[in-house]
Amino acid sequence: MLFLVRMDVNIPHDLPEAQAADIKAREKAYAQALQHDGRWRHLWRVVGEYANYSVFDVASNDELHTLLSGLPLFPYMKIHVTPLAQHPSAIA
């Protein structure tokens, strides 16, 4: 199942820098592991925002929820999920 996910990140300004840096490093490692195993198919930055659009390829809604809630930055994110279906005019 494919899902388009928009993630907007809002790290509190009063979070200690060392703690924020640790969270970001863990986030990067987690995201890259999911990309390597094929479940995080695309990751695109939104220009001028601390946000991204991503495409996930997972078996279920529950799997996607588990992956997203496992993100180290999850407590600081607003997430919008759009399930995707094959378009009848698509050639791929």
Side-chain angles (χ1 to χ4, degrees):
M1 297 176 70
L2 294 177
F3 295 90
L4 176 67
V5 179
R6 178 174 169 125
M7 294 178 240
D8 293 272
V9 181
N10 186 15
I11 298 174
H13 297 292
D14 60 349
L15 189 70
E17 182 54 39
Q19 186 178 353
D22 175 66
I23 293 168
K24 291 175 190 178
R26 290 186 292 116
E27 179 85 8
K28 182 176 183 176
Y30 184 78
Q32 289 181 344
L34 292 173
Q35 290 172 72
H36 283 298
D37 76 18
R39 291 183 286 175
W40 197 325
R41 299 267 302 268
H42 299 279
L43 174 57
W44 296 96
R45 175 179 290 174
V46 178
V47 175
E49 299 180 36
Y50 196 170
N52 73 74
Y53 278 103
S54 295
V55 176
F56 287 84
D57 188 358
V58 294
S60 67
N61 295 335
D62 291 332
E63 182 181 3
L64 179 64
H65 180 78
T66 298
L67 294 179
L68 294 176
S69 62
L71 290 165
L73 283 170
F74 180 77
Y76 311 109
M77 289 182 173
K78 176 183 173 192
I79 297 175
H80 183 265
V81 176
T82 303
L84 300 174
Q86 184 69 34
H87 194 285
S89 297
I91 60 172

